[in-house]
């Protein structure tokens, strides 16, 4: 997975929103129906999630999908 | 691919934006570096694109990624 500025920006926003909620990667993974490790990869921009995964994360974080990708290019 | 309201909403927005630009699915595919048929599937909500594909489509349509997913969920 070549470094991708968009995925890094998305990951940073997922982390920022998760920390604002004060929840762990494990708690976010559980809410979104994902594996705990996957959250770590996403937050570092090391995975290219499917659209439905981005939408599930937005719901799990209590924000709109648009808010979660707001920082992307 | 079970019918997914979010993917249908995303597809509808891709189509709406493409039509507003007055370009064909083929032209959009070329701009975004995708296969022409894939655009048709996406617009019908029949595919679950990777995040980077959504971002490439937004750029090809000249809108932000946030605008493209604004109607989702």
């Amino acid at each position: 997975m070549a470094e991708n500025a968009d995925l890094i920006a998305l990951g940073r926003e997922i982390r920022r929103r998760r920390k604002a909620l004060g929840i762990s990667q494990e708690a976010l993974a559980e809410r979104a129906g994902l594996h705990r490790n996957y959250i770590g990869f996403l937050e570092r921009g090391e995975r290219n999630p499917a659209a439905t995964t981005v939408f599930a994360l937005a719901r799990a974080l209590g924000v709109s999908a648009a808010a979660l990708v707001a920082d992307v290019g």
Side-chain angles (χ1 to χ4, degrees), chain A:
Chain A
M1 171 64 54
E3 207 170 275
N4 179 303
D6 289 337
L7 294 177
I8 289 169
L10 174 62
R12 214 177 28 224
E13 190 63 17
I14 292 169
R15 180 185 296 258
R16 195 177 71 79
R17 298 282 180 165
R18 175 176 64 77
K19 293 219 180 235
L21 286 177
I23 62 173
S24 66
Q25 289 182 341
E26 195 155 8
L28 177 56
E30 204 171 310
R31 288 188 187 193
L34 299 167
H35 193 279
R36 181 171 61 80
N37 295 350
Y38 191 62
I39 300 293
F41 285 119
L42 284 174
E43 289 188 350
R44 292 188 300 272
E46 294 173 11
R47 290 294 183 278
N48 186 8
T52 47
T53 299
V54 174
F55 302 151
L57 282 163
R59 287 194 177 94
L61 290 164
V63 298
S64 67
L68 210 53
V69 301
D71 266 3
V72 171

